[in-house]
Amino acid sequence: RGLMSSPPYRIALYSHDTKGLGHMRRNLLLAQVLSESPLSVTVLLIAGAREAGMFAMPPGVDCVTLPAYHKNSGADYGPRSLGVSRPELTTLRSRIISSTLESFEPDLFIVDYAPRGTFDELVPALEEVTRNHTRCVFGLRDVMFDPAVIRAEWSAIENRDALERFYEQVWVYGDKSVYDAVQEYGLPSVLADKIRYTGYLDPTQRIDLHGRNGSVLMESLALPRGRLVLCLVGGGQDGAALAGAFSRTELPPGTNGIILTGPFMPPKHRERLRSEVAMHPRMRLLEFVPEPTQLLCNADRVIAQGGYNTLCEVLSFEKRALIVPRVNARREQIIRVERLSQLGMVDMLHPDQLTPSALHAWLSADLPAPSVRDRIDFESSARIHRLLEGLQTPHRNPEEPAAAAGETGDR
C-alpha cells in the first residue's frame, strides 16, 4: 500500500497493556478521535490484553488482542495464562504483531508508551513497517514517571536509537502549561523537535457510544433520590485501601455513593467491600462498567486515584474531585495530581492521611465545581486531526530534521 494507497487511510495502534486498563482505555479514545477525522480512516488497535474487547469500539475501529503478560508486585513479568516461558511469550506476541501489520499494511503506526515495545517485541515490526514507508508516531500520556527515571530510560542507547530512528513525531496527550515534557525530562533537541502537544484527550466523546446520560444504568442501581458521590480506583489492582475507606465513610445526609472496583481488584478485597456496602442503604458497588463516563455524568463529587484517564474524565466533566494518588516508586500520579492541585483543578489527599473521617470532612465541605475548560487544553481532537493531515505529506527521510515543536500543538 504505502503512502499513495487509496482510502481509507489505515492506522494501527499498539498498546502494550501489561497491567490495568489505563493504556487500552487511552488508546480506545485515541482510536475514536482518529476515526472521526475528516479523512476517510480505519483503525486497528493491537492491544496487549484481552480486556480491550470489553469496551465498545467506535465505527471504523477494531482490535486484535495479544496473549497477556502478568506483572507481579516485584516488577517481574511472565505469562498471565499461557503455560510458556516469558521469552516464548515475547516471541509469540512479536510474531503476531508483525504478521498483523504485514497483513493490514498501515499508512500510520502509533505506538504507546514503550518505543521498542515490551521486551523489545516491536522491533522487528518497526523495522519492517518503516522499510515499507509507514509513518510512525510515538504517543505519551501527560506525565510518565519521575523525571530522573525517564531521563535514564530515554538516554539508554537502545531507546534513544528507537526514538530517533523509527519515529517522526512524539505526541504528548497533555497540556504543556500543566507539564512540559521537554523541560521536565531534559530531552535532547533531536527528540524535543519531534514533540507535539495534543492537549488532553476528551472522554466526554465516549458517552455517545453508550447513551448520553446513563439513565438505564442509574435506574438499575435503585438508589434513593439525592446527591451522588462516585469512588473510582481504576482497574482496581491497588485500589482496595481507597475503596475500603470510602465504604466506611459516613456520607452527608441525602447523599448516595457508588464504588467502581475495576475488574482487577483481588476477590478477597472485593468481597469484603460487598459486605461493608451491604450495610449502607445509600451505597452501591459495581465491579465494571464499559464506560464510566455514564456514571460521571450523574456524579456531584468524585473521589479517585490519580491515573491519566480518571483525571481526564474528572476534568473534562468539570467535577469537584478529591484525588488520592499512588505514591509508590513510580511517582507519575502524585506528580500529575500535585500540578493540577496547584492549579486549583482538583483537591489532593496523601494516602498516608486517608481515613473515613478525612473523606467525610471533604464531602461535607461547601466546595464549588472547578472551571476547567477555559484553563486546560482539551482541544485534542482538532489538533490530532491537523497532525494527521500533516502526515499525508510526502514521507521525509528520518535523518532530516523535523519541524520545530512550537509549530503544532503548543499553546
Side-chain angles (χ1 to χ4, degrees):
R1 285 165 48 83
L3 178 67
M4 303 307 293
S5 59
S6 58
Y9 189 76
R10 297 187 181 187
I11 303 174
L13 307 179
Y14 164 84
S15 176
H16 77 300
D17 303 320
T18 55
K19 188 175 183 180
L21 301 176
H23 296 289
M24 67 180 72
R25 290 188 63 216
R26 182 170 64 253
N27 278 275
L28 281 165
L29 182 52
L30 174 62
Q32 180 176 342
V33 170
L34 293 165
S35 72
E36 294 171 351
S37 163
L39 304 172
S40 177
V41 168
T42 191
V43 181
L44 179 63
L45 171 61
I46 302 172
R50 58 182 175 267
E51 283 78 14
M54 298 189 300
F55 299 96
M57 297 287 161
V61 178
D62 212 331
C63 73
V64 171
T65 61
L66 304 171
Y69 290 110
H70 171 73
K71 182 180 180 183
N72 64 32
S73 58
D76 294 324
Y77 291 84
R80 185 201 292 184
S81 301
L82 285 183
V84 300
S85 68
R86 199 278 300 160
E88 287 176 311
L89 178 60
T90 299
T91 298
L92 174 60
R93 286 170 53 111
S94 183
R95 289 176 178 173
I96 293 171
I97 294 167
S98 292
S99 63
T100 298
L101 294 174
E102 181 182 3
S103 298
F104 186 59
E105 299 183 78
D107 299 286
L108 175 64
F109 186 32
I110 303 176
V111 172
D112 182 64
Y113 177 73
R116 298 169 62 88
T118 305
F119 297 111
D120 295 343
E121 64 186 9
L122 270 188
V123 173
L126 285 167
E127 291 175 340
E128 181 63 24
V129 297
T130 51
R131 279 196 296 268
N132 292 334
H133 304 293
T134 295
R135 320 294 284 270
C136 293
V137 167
F138 185 52
L140 296 172
R141 59 183 181 248
D142 58 341
V143 181
M144 298 297 288
F145 305 130
D146 186 280
V149 174
I150 294 299
R151 289 190 188 105
E153 288 186 358
W154 285 21
S155 64
I157 293 175
E158 62 272 17
N159 286 331
R160 188 175 64 225
D161 176 71
L163 288 164
E164 294 179 7
R165 177 182 170 197
F166 296 125
Y167 298 103
E168 291 189 50
Q169 295 178 1
V170 177
W171 293 359
V172 179
Y173 309 122
D175 184 335
K176 181 180 179 181
S177 68
V178 176
Y179 198 81
D180 185 344
V182 174
Q183 178 178 335
E184 298 288 347
Y185 299 145
L187 299 184
S189 59
V190 69
L191 295 182
D193 289 345
K194 297 183 179 185
I195 293 287
R196 306 291 184 271
Y197 296 92
T198 69
Y200 284 96
L201 297 175
D202 187 352
T204 61
Q205 299 172 264
R206 291 282 295 170
I207 58 178
D208 291 331
L209 295 177
H210 294 267
R212 179 157 289 274
N213 59 15
S215 57
V216 174
L217 174 60
M218 291 302 301
E219 289 171 6
S220 71
L221 298 175
L223 284 164
R225 291 184 177 274
R227 291 167 56 81
L228 175 62
V229 181
L230 187 59
C231 178
L232 302 173
V233 294
Q237 60 270 23
D238 59 357
L242 176 55
F246 183 76
S247 73
R248 298 188 299 275
T249 297
E250 178 187 355
L251 299 177
T255 300
N256 300 311
I258 297 175
I259 301 172
L260 185 58
T261 68
F264 300 126
M265 180 173 286
K268 64 178 182 180
H269 296 316
R270 186 181 293 114
E271 290 310 308
R272 187 186 308 125
L273 283 171
R274 287 192 191 281
S275 299
E276 293 170 347
V277 167
M279 296 186 292
H280 296 275
R282 282 186 171 269
M283 196 171 286
R284 301 289 186 271
L285 184 143
L286 297 173
E287 178 178 340
F288 173 78
V289 295
E291 192 46 57
T293 52
Q294 290 187 310
L295 297 173
L296 272 159
C297 285
N298 294 278
D300 296 282
R301 298 263 184 110
V302 179
I303 295 174
Q305 291 182 314
Y308 176 87
N309 299 294
T310 299
L311 265 296
C312 283
E313 289 161 356
V314 166
L315 294 170
S316 67
F317 283 95
E318 296 188 312
K319 300 294 182 178
R320 190 79 193 198
L322 178 66
I323 307 300
V324 185
R326 299 188 191 114
V327 292
N328 56 16
R330 295 189 169 190
R331 299 186 66 252
E332 165 217 342
Q333 288 200 7
I334 192 167
I335 293 172
R336 176 183 298 116
V337 177
E338 284 178 341
R339 292 296 175 92
L340 292 170
S341 176
Q342 290 165 4
L343 292 171
M345 300 291 100
V346 300
D347 301 314
M348 187 180 86
L349 179 68
H350 194 281
D352 290 345
Q353 300 173 320
L354 174 62
T355 63
S357 60
L359 299 184
H360 173 77
W362 181 80
L363 290 171
S364 301
D366 183 14
L367 301 170
S371 177
V372 173
R373 287 184 173 269
D374 59 346
R375 298 179 59 196
I376 293 181
D377 185 0
F378 273 97
E379 299 300 318
S380 56
S381 291
R383 195 167 290 110
I384 287 171
H385 293 167
R386 291 197 296 271
L387 287 167
L388 189 59
E389 290 173 3
L391 289 168
Q392 309 299 298
T393 59
H395 191 279
R396 73 169 180 84
N397 188 315
E399 299 301 320
E400 296 174 0
E407 291 184 7
T408 307
D410 286 356
R411 299 182 73 195

